[in-house]
Amino acid sequence: MKFSGCIFSILLTFTLYLNGAPAAAAELSGETEACLACHALVTPGIVGDWHASYHYKSSPAEGLSKRRSSRRISAEQVPEPLADTAVGCAECHMMNADKHSDSFEHNGFTIHTVVSPSDCATCHPTEVTEFADNLMAEAYANLMHNPTYAGLIESTNGKHEFTGQGISFHGSDPVTDADSCISCHGTDVKVVGVETRETMMGEMDFPQLSNWPNTGVGRLNPDGSKGSCSSCHMRHQFSIEVARKPYTCAQCHKGPDVPAYKVYAVSMHGNIQKSVDKNWDYKAVPWTIGKDFTAPTCATCHASEIIDENGELLAKRTHRFNDRLPWRIFGIPYAHPHPIAADTSDIVNQAGLHFPTELTGEPVPKFLISPAEMEKRQGAMEAVCAGCHSDQWIKGHFARLDTSIETTNHMTLQATKILAQAWEEGLAAGIPQGQNPTNEAIELKWVEQWLFFGNSTRFATAMGGADYGVFADGRWYQAKNLQEMYDYLKFLRATKAAEK
Ligand code: HEC
Ligand code: HEC
Ligand code: HEC
Ligand code: HEC
Ligand code: HEC
Ligand code: HEC
Ligand code: HEC
Ligand code: HEC
């Protein structure tokens, strides 16, 4: 870089930085001080955000000195010299430099931009190992490597063309995909070149990253790791408070296909959270039920470590977000027992489709958890409820979920039968014809039957918000849509007869 003219401003910034920064409990490394000398001027937002984080306030050694139940780091030991300084810019952005294909020379340091789960693992190994077993960590492959879902991507993201005779379909382009499906599922981030940029401190070289920016849960990182911890712990505060609040999950879980946040927001739990959470402590570790919070958030039911006021453990923390989920109520196309492996792209049914159930709804047992495992996970979820509800309330709730799964699957099957009839009679071209099953009008209605209405109904039963199980995307639409699919079948038959 060209140093002329900027040395003065760097020195000035650093002096201002030292005067303005909140007192750090932990010492900063020399490398991090060098980053700050520039970055307090270049990216003051990042530096300010980091000042508010635990990473600025305490060193790994201090973190490890806490009682086990209050620890925020899961490593048993953190190597020197990392242990004794604050976790600063250099500690994260220079970690495992040799494993990063995005490493580059930056003002005398070898750094990378994409700090990955493998980098966090030096101090947080348990969270990283657990997260890797999560459907979320595999969300890229689960979508992009499953040939049966390819049609859904094309129908949604492709540029369709009216030809006068019909509509022709073209594959989607990578920029649209990155802005659509894989903005949540995660993109494939690779180094695709080097660019020289004019910065406020002269010319510098940076690696060019493909499909960047992205914070999808299953992002493929340049060091070969999967996922992005910042999808729930946004940089640079990396806070537990943010992850425990439902708004964070809402970014990706809002629907109408995945309406977890919508149903939660209008549930009693969500209402209590919005009304009284100013009296809650979202930062406490461990998290005490009744004292720190009085109604569950997404994190409480799916991930959090929860104790009672006697210190008794109700639920152990997990970053494997399916540890408490017996079912996959997100049905493509049917709800079914949860998959065993995080990577679902290998699942094949008897008909050769990459679905966890047959088209008629029977689960493909080889790939799905056993009844014993389902019971164990059910028990783990109920242990959370039991902190605030009695057994009769909890059992009554889950009996409704069993029925909701059964009735919504039944309604999906009826829609599938109508579509299968249309395919058989040659009124639409789908699976039997080796064509995209999700691009003609009657097929789109079939997709809505399960993707929107089946899922919405089940999510409303599982997590509250009854409206979403009835007149807002729920049972009403399931019934109406089925009727319309049948009428559409008759219309297609009449059209075909008229053409003859
Ligand atoms: C001499 C000043 C200077 C020093 C020292 C410095 N940086 Fe930078 N850094 C910059 C400038 C300028 C940019 C460009 C910002 C932009 O694109 O607007 C930058 C960009 C970056 C980026 C973003 C790269 C990208 O992908 O676009 C990261 C990450 C980064 N610096 C981290 C660090 C770390 C970590 C250190 C310390 C080890 C450090 N920097 C030291 C000036 C500096
Ligand atoms: C705990 C680890 C950690 C620490 C400490 C940390 N970073 Fe980062 N930083 C990250 C992660 C993770 C990302 C990428 C976020 C993502 O996955 O999207 C990132 C991204 C960045 C970027 C690119 C952001 C953009 O929008 O272009 C810059 C620049 C950067 N960091 C600078 C810094 C500076 C300066 C410091 C010190 C004040 C710092 N980082 C401290 C983990 C860290
Ligand atoms: C060099 C060790 C180190 C690395 C690397 C590291 N952390 Fe941390 N992390 C810590 C320490 C130390 C604390 C605070 C411990 C304490 O004060 O009890 C912490 C705390 C946290 C917390 C809890 C914050 C809160 O509000 O309670 C989260 C979340 C977190 N880190 C996420 C990350 C993520 C994500 C990464 C990677 C992008 C990362 N950390 C990288 C050492 C590290
Ligand atoms: C707003 C974020 C977001 C976008 C955009 C998004 N998804 Fe998803 N997707 C999710 C979430 C969240 C889940 C998990 C749903 C659940 O478990 O309730 C999911 C799950 C899936 C699954 C299940 C994968 C498996 O086997 O486990 C498929 C298939 C899928 N999405 C397809 C798509 C397609 C196709 C697109 C683009 C047309 C898309 N998604 C766009 C958030 C998103
Ligand atoms: C950046 C987007 C994103 C954010 C933020 C996000 N998720 Fe997800 N989540 C997904 C996607 C995508 C999937 C589906 C992955 C698949 O099926 O392949 C998913 C799947 C899940 C699953 C099913 C997991 C399993 O293994 O069966 C649960 C439960 C879940 N998310 C809960 C949450 C909670 C709770 C939060 C907030 C603390 C959250 N998610 C934040 C995108 C996100
Ligand atoms: C889907 C959302 C989500 C993702 C992605 C995620 N976390 Fe978390 N994380 C949470 C939630 C929720 C909590 C709060 C758990 C609790 O209340 O006990 C948490 C808590 C933590 C804590 C604090 C633990 C403690 O002992 O206080 C650390 C550290 C952490 N996460 C690290 C990570 C790392 C590293 C990654 C990337 C591999 C990651 N997280 C990815 C949601 C997420
Ligand atoms: C009161 C506890 C509770 C709260 C609060 C809660 N959930 Fe759930 N969640 C459940 C239950 C119970 C199920 C269904 C169990 C099953 O699928 O086996 C479920 C299912 C899910 C699923 C479907 C998983 C799958 O594999 O099909 C996702 C995704 C999810 N929840 C995300 C969230 C998000 C995001 C929030 C917050 C906006 C949230 N949950 C709030 C209890 C809760
Ligand atoms: C931290 C406490 C807490 C936890 C944990 C909790 N709930 Fe609740 N829940 C409440 C409170 C408080 C209400 C409001 C009850 C009232 O005023 O009648 C409520 C209400 C409900 C309702 C009534 C909704 C309605 O519209 O009638 C159901 C059903 C419910 N909870 C089920 C569950 C289930 C199932 C779990 C576990 C998966 C769970 N809750 C976990 C505190 C909790």
Side-chain angles (χ1 to χ4, degrees):
M1 74 168 274
K2 292 178 201 145
F3 267 101
S4 54
C6 70
I7 286 283
F8 174 73
S9 67
I10 293 171
L11 288 175
L12 179 67
T13 320
F14 195 52
T15 317
L16 290 175
Y17 167 76
L18 288 176
N19 289 338
E27 223 174 286
L28 304 182
S29 68
E31 289 90 342
T32 288
E33 280 183 352
C35 315
L36 290 166
C38 288
H39 277 273
L41 186 68
V42 180
T43 52
I46 288 179
V47 173
D49 206 21
W50 171 70
H51 281 154
S53 76
Y54 271 93
H55 291 138
Y56 174 70
K57 288 177 201 139
S58 61
S59 66
E62 283 162 310
L64 281 170
S65 71
K66 296 184 181 168
R67 268 189 305 131
R68 203 162 274 277
S69 62
S70 330
R71 271 193 210 167
R72 290 163 206 262
I73 58 177
S74 51
E76 290 299 325
Q77 217 182 325
V78 173
E80 300 288 344
L82 287 175
D84 297 319
T85 58
V87 186
C89 324
E91 283 63 39
C92 284
H93 286 278
M94 293 174 69
M95 183 77 81
N96 303 322
D98 51 327
K99 300 208 179 81
H100 277 265
S101 64
D102 56 331
S103 280
F104 64 105
E105 281 306 309
H106 182 64
N107 305 302
F109 304 98
T110 304
I111 70 155
H112 52 271
T113 300
V114 190
V115 179
S116 75
S118 305
D119 298 332
C120 313
T122 308
C123 304
H124 305 293
T126 306
E127 288 77 7
V128 174
T129 314
E130 288 177 349
F131 187 71
D133 288 341
N134 201 310
L135 287 184
M136 279 192 257
E138 295 292 340
Y140 181 88
N142 288 350
L143 183 54
M144 303 303 276
H145 295 169
N146 183 322
T148 306
Y149 298 153
L152 202 55
I153 301 176
E154 185 187 270
S155 319
T156 313
N157 296 347
K159 266 186 177 164
H160 307 332
E161 216 165 306
F162 178 56
T163 61
Q165 300 304 314
I167 294 178
S168 71
F169 295 90
H170 302 282
S172 59
D173 63 273
V175 176
T176 303
D177 288 347
D179 192 34
S180 174
C181 311
I182 50 180
S183 69
C184 299
H185 286 247
T187 60
D188 185 2
V189 181
K190 283 202 181 85
V191 177
V192 290
V194 178
E195 62 177 2
T196 305
R197 292 206 304 257
E198 184 57 41
T199 75
M200 66 193 292
M201 294 182 169
E203 272 187 2
M204 292 183 195
D205 291 341
F206 296 97
Q208 278 175 296
L209 300 172
S210 63
N211 302 311
W212 188 255
N214 177 262
T215 50
V217 280
R219 192 180 67 200
L220 305 183
N221 300 312
D223 66 348
S225 66
K226 291 175 190 166
S228 108
C229 307
S230 43
S231 34
C232 296
H233 303 289
M234 283 80 103
R235 60 147 177 102
H236 276 84
Q237 285 199 34
F238 298 103
S239 122
I240 200 170
E241 172 175 15
V242 168
R244 280 174 174 169
K245 287 191 171 164
Y247 320 113
T248 303
C249 320
Q251 182 195 337
C252 303
H253 287 271
K254 204 162 180 185
D257 55 334
V258 292
Y261 179 77
K262 277 207 290 207
V263 304
Y264 173 78
V266 298
S267 74
M268 269 194 166
H269 295 145
N271 296 339
I272 297 170
Q273 184 262 340
K274 285 193 288 292
S275 303
V276 302
D277 82 334
K278 53 188 164 305
N279 307 321
W280 293 4
D281 184 352
Y282 280 105
K283 293 187 178 144
V285 174
W287 215 17
T288 309
I289 200 163
K291 174 172 159 276
D292 295 329
F293 64 96
T294 54
T297 66
C298 322
T300 319
C301 289
H302 291 291
S304 292
E305 181 139 325
I306 301 163
I307 61 159
D308 67 17
E309 293 202 44
N310 301 321
E312 218 47 64
L313 187 71
L314 265 61
K316 200 170 141 25
R317 175 175 312 109
T318 181
H319 273 70
R320 207 183 287 115
F321 278 70
N322 52 49
D323 272 352
R324 302 173 194 166
L325 295 176
W327 293 99
R328 183 104 177 103
I329 59 167
F330 178 72
I332 292 204
Y334 298 92
H336 53 79
H338 219 280
I340 295 170
D343 182 347
T344 60
S345 62
D346 298 336
I347 294 178
V348 191
N349 68 13
Q350 280 178 25
L353 299 173
H354 290 254
F355 280 147
T357 63
E358 301 303 328
L359 259 195
T360 42
E362 293 84 14
V364 187
K366 189 174 142 197
F367 299 101
L368 307 176
I369 59 171
S370 66
E373 176 65 18
M374 288 179 82
E375 207 172 308
K376 188 174 138 208
R377 294 184 182 194
Q378 180 68 27
M381 179 66 87
E382 287 185 13
V384 176
C385 320
C388 302
H389 295 296
S390 71
D391 201 44
Q392 179 167 224
W393 181 288
I394 300 166
K395 290 285 184 305
H397 174 80
F398 283 108
R400 287 182 192 152
L401 182 56
D402 288 344
T403 303
S404 180
I405 289 170
E406 196 237 300
T407 56
T408 51
N409 277 354
H410 173 84
M411 291 298 267
T412 297
L413 176 61
Q414 306 317 304
T416 309
K417 283 180 175 167
I418 294 177
L419 182 59
Q421 189 78 36
W423 285 337
E424 200 183 304
E425 295 176 28
L427 303 171
I431 289 168
Q433 291 80 9
Q435 301 283 318
N436 185 345
T438 58
N439 61 4
E440 294 172 63
I442 193 166
E443 293 169 338
L444 299 178
K445 290 185 80 62
W446 173 67
V447 171
E448 290 184 354
Q449 183 77 356
W450 42 268
L451 191 60
F452 295 172
F453 312 141
N455 282 334
S456 187
T457 305
R458 287 188 293 266
F459 276 64
T461 312
M463 292 172 270
D467 227 4
Y468 290 102
V470 191
F471 291 118
D473 281 350
R475 294 171 177 90
W476 168 261
Y477 282 97
Q478 262 187 334
K480 177 169 176 271
N481 194 50
L482 189 68
Q483 191 60 48
E484 288 172 356
M485 279 184 75
Y486 177 59
D487 286 351
Y488 205 81
L489 178 70
K490 288 194 292 186
F491 164 75
L492 290 172
R493 280 176 181 153
T495 312
K496 192 176 176 190
E499 277 168 1
K500 272 197 185 143

